[in-house]
Amino acid sequence: MASIWYLEGAAAGGNALVIPIEGLPFIVGRTESCALTIVSYDISRQHARIDSDGRGGLQVHDLGSTNGTFVNRERLTKPRKVSNGDIIHFGTSEFRLKYRVPEGMGSKPNKGRDDSTFFVPGQFSLPQAFPAQESEFLEMLDQGLLCAAFQPIVNFHDRHTVGFELLGRGRHPTLPASPANLFALAASLQKEVELSEAFRMVGAHKAAQQKVATRLFINAHPREMFSQALYDSLSRFHAIAPAVDIVLEVPETAITEIANMRKLAERLRDMGVRLAYDDFGAGQARINELAEVPPDVVKFDMSLIRDIHCASAGKQQVVSRLVSMVRELGSIPLAEGVETEDEARTCQQMGFALCQGYLTGKPVIL
């Protein structure tokens, strides 16, 4: 059989250990007669078998091992078909199945018996050197399996819609739709910037299809802040949807970098992009940063807004003072997460100008 399939393991120094699957059946176990010998207390003499599935692919069989064979961290109870990128554990020994050895791997696959024998730590818990669902995540980005949701932002005085926040969602059949879960997966793959950009682009195309001039609040991930890639992304967004008035929401973690924030504000102003501070008050009220680089809009975090109508007098006074400070700096205060009329009434009395939340509109996927 040609060496088009191989197992990739973790070796010392962060290098990849490459084991070609050069004959079927491919037996994994503790004895030297196995195609892959793993000397470890949790590996059975003949632990598992990789074989043809009869259709040009591979399947994995557990051979009655004591400590189990796992595919994508699910223990096998019967033969299972495997695909490129699947994570396979033989006991605690972790590998990723790959198709066709890439050129320039750094070192050629080893062929000697000693080269296929190695030791693993003597503790039983499944390691996680390879993030689960990597191939599905990359497929989602490559095929554009994403969609855009738009949540209205309204004027508190007359409930008139003044804009929308762009919120991305996933559409891959085996991945979560939630952006929070997708960004957690992206973080394990160091792909947060790529996911953030992909969400923006699908939103830009959907906004352009509406052919209506509107104000759109779009998010930036902390890892792309202050980068040329972010400015290039905003330019692409504007080219796709020129009628959109863009408001860039800056995460709270970036607001403390005052020198970078000044440069960002200048670049955005030159591009005709407005600036919003997101999640204000979630960690600490950034009064100093607000005064140094006042944004167009300050979005108060929903943790301050939730049940504000029945909060203590002290908390209500603090929030009211923050709203007044924001107004004095020339910024527009926005209350996020408003869900009830009681919350809305209290926020309006405090001086909030804009409202976003389920009370005035849930995110709608277009």
Side-chain angles (χ1 to χ4, degrees):
M1 175 182 176
S3 299
I4 59 175
W5 289 98
Y6 66 96
L7 292 171
E8 180 184 72
N15 298 314
L17 180 66
V18 177
I19 301 101
I21 300 174
E22 293 188 316
L24 297 177
F26 185 89
I27 306 298
V28 178
R30 197 172 66 243
T31 63
E32 291 188 0
S33 61
C34 295
L36 172 59
T37 302
I38 304 174
V39 182
S40 177
Y41 85 100
D42 64 329
I43 298 296
S44 299
R45 292 175 61 83
Q46 288 198 335
H47 194 99
R49 182 176 78 245
I50 300 176
D51 209 344
S52 170
D53 66 354
R55 296 181 294 278
L58 297 179
Q59 60 182 354
V60 178
H61 306 245
D62 182 76
L63 299 179
S65 66
T66 300
N67 292 304
T69 303
F70 303 77
V71 175
N72 297 328
R73 301 186 174 86
E74 293 184 5
R75 186 164 184 164
L76 297 186
T77 57
K78 59 182 179 180
R80 175 165 170 174
K81 178 178 172 61
V82 286
S83 303
N84 183 40
D86 281 347
I87 299 168
I88 304 175
H89 287 85
F90 307 107
T92 62
S93 298
E94 183 179 25
F95 298 87
R96 178 162 48 191
L97 182 69
K98 300 292 287 184
Y99 184 82
R100 196 175 300 279
V101 178
E103 294 182 2
M105 188 80 182
S107 62
K108 295 181 179 180
N110 301 311
K111 295 181 180 294
R113 169 58 53 206
D114 290 341
D115 293 330
S116 65
T117 304
F118 60 98
F119 296 83
V120 297
Q123 56 183 9
F124 194 88
S125 60
L126 294 183
Q128 298 186 35
F130 302 111
Q133 298 185 300
E134 178 183 20
S135 58
E136 293 92 336
F137 182 87
L138 296 178
E139 180 182 55
M140 178 187 71
L141 293 183
D142 184 59
Q143 298 184 14
L145 298 177
L146 303 165
C147 58
F150 297 83
Q151 185 172 25
I153 294 173
V154 307
N155 185 300
F156 253 127
H157 178 68
D158 57 11
R159 303 289 175 93
H160 173 70
T161 299
V162 298
F164 298 86
E165 181 177 357
L166 168 62
L167 301 165
R169 300 286 188 268
R171 290 196 301 114
H172 193 284
T174 64
L175 294 179
S178 160
N181 291 334
L182 287 177
F183 271 112
L185 176 56
S188 71
L189 302 169
Q190 298 186 341
K191 294 287 185 181
E192 303 101 308
V193 173
E194 289 83 348
L195 179 59
S196 182
E197 162 76 1
F199 277 147
R200 276 195 296 274
M201 290 305 101
V202 72
H205 286 288
K206 288 297 182 182
Q209 290 173 9
Q210 302 306 306
K211 298 180 179 179
V212 176
T214 188
R215 180 169 297 174
L216 202 58
F217 288 67
I218 61 177
N219 293 279
H221 190 274
R223 288 195 61 182
E224 60 184 335
M225 286 306 305
F226 314 123
S227 68
Q228 183 60 43
L230 176 59
Y231 301 126
D232 293 342
S233 175
L234 294 173
S235 296
R236 285 192 292 273
F237 193 108
H238 182 70
I240 295 169
V244 170
D245 179 11
I246 301 173
V247 183
L248 180 69
E249 295 192 16
V250 176
E252 186 193 30
T253 52
I255 297 172
T256 56
E257 301 182 41
I258 294 177
N260 283 328
M261 284 301 305
R262 285 199 184 98
K263 295 177 183 178
L264 174 69
E266 292 175 2
R267 288 288 298 270
L268 294 182
R269 184 166 53 250
D270 292 341
M271 298 174 68
V273 176
R274 300 174 192 271
L275 176 64
Y277 287 171
D278 195 18
D279 300 327
F280 181 70
Q284 55 180 302
R286 307 288 187 183
I287 301 301
N288 182 55
E289 290 80 4
L290 280 175
E292 292 288 342
V293 190
D296 296 282
V297 179
V298 176
K299 302 185 73 173
F300 281 63
D301 188 73
M302 64 178 64
S303 63
L304 292 177
I305 305 303
R306 191 61 41 81
D307 295 325
I308 188 65
H309 61 288
C310 54
S312 66
K315 178 179 179 178
Q316 290 189 8
Q317 288 176 3
V318 168
V319 176
S320 293
R321 288 171 185 165
L322 290 174
V323 172
S324 297
M325 290 179 186
V326 166
R327 283 184 170 277
E328 289 170 5
L329 291 169
S331 302
I332 301 172
L334 183 154
E336 282 194 289
V338 179
E339 295 189 349
T340 69
E341 288 291 351
D342 288 334
E343 290 172 344
R345 188 178 306 108
T346 302
C347 286
Q348 191 170 357
Q349 291 170 352
M350 289 178 169
F352 280 100
L354 301 178
C355 169
Q356 180 180 356
Y358 279 13
L359 174 66
T360 52
K362 296 182 180 180
V364 175
I365 295 176
L366 297 180

